[in-house]
Amino acid sequence: MGTASTRLPEGRYGRAADERADHTLRIVGTVLGALLLALVGWLGYHYVGQSEISGQVITFQAVSDEKVQAHLEVRKDADASGYCTLRSQSADGAEVGRADFRFDGHETRIDRVVTLRTTAKGSTAELLGCHAG
């Protein structure tokens, strides 16, 4: 005795609703994935490619209750000028100092020790960012 098939004959009734929904979801997913990839690429180019000046704090030291010295390394285009913003925080996390330091000239790599004045003893020296201009 044979078992009757519960499958519909192919091509007779068109595509199933689930197949149409799967196809639509695939299209929507592909479009959203392409848009996300384009956005990440644009943001990456804007952040890395357009940056004319960048810096990092190599080391820092609290010299006194009113000063923190930071060794700052700045890389920039030869014709660019700009500034880097540093801040210092106390041990409890309160901001005790913030200052901008300008970098002009034709050097592309600048190593400089800068002194940040603070209102209390600073336990950090953090680079908030560098900007051209």
Side-chain angles (χ1 to χ4, degrees):
M1 178 168 192
T3 309
S5 174
T6 59
R7 224 173 125 195
L8 298 176
E10 290 204 26
R12 188 167 185 184
Y13 298 104
R15 297 173 78 183
D18 287 343
E19 289 177 13
R20 275 181 259 140
D22 288 345
H23 183 69
T24 303
L25 285 174
R26 261 188 239 123
I27 291 173
V28 169
T30 302
V31 169
L32 289 177
L35 288 174
L36 179 64
L37 186 62
L39 177 66
V40 168
W42 181 80
L43 289 173
Y45 172 76
H46 181 71
Y47 182 74
V48 175
Q50 299 293 326
S51 179
E52 294 180 354
I53 184 169
S54 65
Q56 67 180 17
V57 174
I58 304 298
T59 185
F60 68 91
Q61 178 182 7
V63 179
S64 68
D65 288 349
E66 293 87 26
K67 293 180 185 176
V68 173
Q69 283 187 338
H71 178 190
L72 189 61
E73 179 184 73
V74 177
R75 295 185 183 272
K76 64 181 191 68
D77 294 341
D79 57 344
S81 64
Y83 63 95
C84 293
T85 304
L86 288 175
R87 83 169 173 181
S88 182
Q89 293 177 310
S90 64
D92 65 356
E95 184 175 291
V96 294
R98 180 185 293 237
D100 294 333
F101 297 96
R102 289 208 59 81
F103 297 97
D104 299 320
H106 296 291
E107 303 92 10
T108 58
R109 183 176 176 271
I110 302 168
D111 277 325
R112 189 178 298 166
V113 176
V114 295
T115 301
L116 178 63
R117 293 189 169 271
T118 60
T119 57
K121 186 166 181 78
S123 63
T124 65
E126 179 183 6
L127 178 65
L128 296 180
C130 295
H131 308 280

